[in-house]
Amino acid sequence: MSKILIIEDEEAIADLEKDYLELSGFQVAIENRGDVGLKKALEEDYDLFILDLMLPEVDGFEICREIRNQKNTPIIMVSAKKDDIDKIRGLGLGADDYMTKPFSPSELVARVKAHLARYERLIGTGVQENDIIEIRGLKIDKTARRVWINGEEKNFTTKEFDLLTFLAQNPNRVFTKDELFKEIWAMESIGDIATVTVHIKKIREKIEFNTAKPQYIETIWGVGYRFKV
Ligand code: CA
């Protein structure tokens, strides 16, 4: 049974949406506050989100952005103002659909079904929009060349990104500095294996909570480095 989270502060609307969705066989939860809704959306497993724009504490813009940083789950955004819908579209926050209130509940149900079917096809075929590596709190989007640690995006130079990605793609294998240098800097004559050490240090500063006790890239003394899974 598909699970849906409605983040909506107008209780009458939320209840109406819930009733119709439940009649169609969905399991539905409601959150009235933005901050609580966001937390729930990130921590629990849902198959689809129905997200109101104007919400107490954290608004729908921010919630949509945060969910998209971590999940590909379909998001339907709703707002009472047509202008707002145009604005969200323009921002490209990654919502899958937009509806202006008031809408008919049956229209909502139809769209929910369509997005769930599309998403299931996507998952089912193993096709991902972007090539993503996720290890504990670390997320690397290889396609977009972006990195997040616990949902917060970090900026990486080209070589830092290449080195981190190479290690994360080959977990639990020890690489010498020489091997890493050849792998990442192969075509360039600049630098030497000390460059590897410098880059590892910079990467750790960005992804490790405590660089003295790295939880991702381990130093194997006298040998090199290993990405720990
Ligand atoms: Ca609202």
Side-chain angles (χ1 to χ4, degrees), residues 179-191:
E179 283 169 331
L180 292 172
F181 185 73
K182 280 185 184 136
E183 183 64 36
I184 307 300
W185 284 268
M187 298 300 143
E188 295 156 44
S189 53
I190 49 158

Side-chain angles (χ1 to χ4, degrees), residues 189-229:
S189 53
I190 49 158
D192 53 49
I193 61 167
T195 312
V196 176
T197 316
V198 172
H199 278 72
I200 293 282
K201 182 170 178 288
K202 286 182 179 161
I203 293 168
R204 280 180 176 153
E205 283 165 4
K206 292 173 192 181
I207 67 170
E208 297 289 356
F209 176 68
N210 178 357
T211 52
K213 286 183 185 162
Q215 56 158 331
Y216 296 106
I217 302 173
E218 280 182 300
T219 301
I220 309 299
W221 292 107
V223 187
Y225 300 103
R226 170 172 66 189
F227 195 99
K228 197 163 53 170
V229 169

Side-chain angles (χ1 to χ4, degrees), residues 4 16 40 44 132 143 177 179 181 195 205 213 215:
I4 297 171
L16 184 69
K40 214 165 168 172
E44 296 178 19
I132 307 256
T143 317
K177 290 177 190 174
E179 283 169 331
F181 185 73
T195 312
E205 283 165 4
K213 286 183 185 162
Q215 56 158 331

Side-chain angles (χ1 to χ4, degrees), residues 7-10 13 32 52-56 78-80 101:
I7 309 178
E8 166 69 70
D9 59 331
E10 286 171 72
I13 292 179
N32 301 121
D52 183 31
L53 188 60
M54 299 311 291
L55 290 163
V78 299
S79 172
K101 291 191 268 191

Side-chain angles (χ1 to χ4, degrees), residues 84-95:
D84 285 341
I85 297 289
D86 293 339
K87 196 171 154 197
I88 331 171
R89 277 184 200 279
L91 284 173
L93 293 179

